[in-house]
């Protein structure tokens, strides 16, 4: 497991990209995190460097899938550890895995900065939040589209972020589910200072809807990595959050 305070020490080394530090009307960070699932995984270090240094991303979103909780199988702690050697970027790790408790120590040791786990994947969210926070990682919680948002209410004061999936988790390139914005609106009304992240189908056509609902953190995969001008996409998504998020 990472030594006590190791994550916090590394955070001091993070080099802000151009555009970082922008805020919403209520003072929340307005941030865009490219999803590396949409990158050329054979060029992961290079693509991650471009995302942060050339495209002015605020953080990197890392999808961890085990082939059990979701049907797809992606990367795990060994790849995160390798990526950590090549970037000081904030690694926002979304654990789409069964038994997320088994991966806390490994993810902390690999260099993850935030450990976001599915409410549906654990039987003891309270204990898992405590375990994650002890490592120095930030803790997030996420729900699938069919899970009601109120299941998260008891935990909001102990976590850094809520991730609302706007597609069924497991694969990139799916269409944005606009009805998930009711969850974002509910959360924003209940917790005005909560970081609310949205993931799935976010692009230049859907960003206004997400930002107006109250999302201040935007995960974008194909919209960034497949764009002719990724930097323009990142900056436009961020600008829309600043413009529209309450």
């Amino acid at each position: 497991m990472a030594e006590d305070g190791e994550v916090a020490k590394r955070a001091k080394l993070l080099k802000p990209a151009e555009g970082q530090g922008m805020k919403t009307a209520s003072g929340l960070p307005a941030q865009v995190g490219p999803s590396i699932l949409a990158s050329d995984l054979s060029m992961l270090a290079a693509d991650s460097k471009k995302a942060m240094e050339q495209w002015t991303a605020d953080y990197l979103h890392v999808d961890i899938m085990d082939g059990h909780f979701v049907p797809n199988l992606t990367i795990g702690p060994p790849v995160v550890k390798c990526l950590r050697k090549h970037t000081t970027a904030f690694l926002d790790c979304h654990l789409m895995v069964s038994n997320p408790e088994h991966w806390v120590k490994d993810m902390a040791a690999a260099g993850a900065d935030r450990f976001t786990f599915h409410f549906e994947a654990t039987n003891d969210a309270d204990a898992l939040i405590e375990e994650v926070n002890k490592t120095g990682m930030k803790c997030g919680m996420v729900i699938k589209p069919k899970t009601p948002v109120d299941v998260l209410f008891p935990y909001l004061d102990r976590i850094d972020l809520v991730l609302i999936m706007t597609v069924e988790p497991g694969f990139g390139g799916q269409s944005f589910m606009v009805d998930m914005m009711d969850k974002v609106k509910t959360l924003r009304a209940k917790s005005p200072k909560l970081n609310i992240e949205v993931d799935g189908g976010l692009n230049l056509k859907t960003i206004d809807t997400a930002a107006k609902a109250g999302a201040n953190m935007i995960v974008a995969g194909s919209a960034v990595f497949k764009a002719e001008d990724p930097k323009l996409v990142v900056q436009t998504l961020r600008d829309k959050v600043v413009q529209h998020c309450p």
Side-chain angles (χ1 to χ4, degrees), residues 43-194:
M43 301 289 290
L44 183 54
D47 278 0
S48 297
K49 184 176 182 179
K50 283 194 296 185
M52 296 303 298
E53 297 182 6
Q54 297 180 26
W55 306 343
T56 73
D58 298 279
Y59 62 97
L60 296 176
H61 186 80
V62 185
D63 288 314
I64 312 293
M65 308 182 194
D66 64 356
H68 296 282
F69 183 72
V70 293
N72 200 8
L73 181 65
T74 58
I75 65 175
V79 176
V80 174
K81 185 176 182 179
C82 289
L83 178 60
R84 178 81 282 165
K85 297 175 183 178
H86 295 279
T87 182
T88 57
F90 187 97
L91 299 183
D92 175 50
C93 297
H94 174 193
L95 280 288
M96 287 171 270
V97 300
S98 300
N99 302 311
E101 296 85 355
H102 294 174
W103 299 104
V104 175
K105 293 181 179 179
D106 287 343
M107 291 301 295
D113 292 294
R114 180 161 45 233
F115 184 104
T116 299
F117 68 90
H118 272 265
F119 169 83
E120 303 93 347
T122 182
N123 292 320
D124 193 344
D126 290 296
L128 183 50
I129 291 170
E130 183 176 358
E131 184 178 3
V132 172
N133 286 332
K134 283 181 178 178
T135 69
M137 292 186 293
K138 294 183 180 296
C139 185
M141 291 183 71
V142 52
I143 53 175
K144 292 182 177 181
K146 293 181 181 179
T147 302
V149 71
D150 58 1
V151 302
L152 299 175
F153 291 173
Y155 312 105
L156 298 182
D157 61 342
R158 285 172 289 151
I159 58 178
D160 171 65
L161 165 146
V162 166
L163 168 54
I164 296 297
M165 292 302 299
T166 49
V167 298
E168 287 292 340
F171 294 93
Q174 299 182 62
S175 297
F176 179 78
M177 299 171 68
V178 67
D179 52 328
M180 293 301 104
M181 293 304 96
D182 286 341
K183 294 181 181 181
V184 176
K185 292 175 182 177
T186 298
L187 278 173
R188 180 55 68 218
K190 186 171 182 64
S191 296
K193 295 299 183 181
L194 178 69

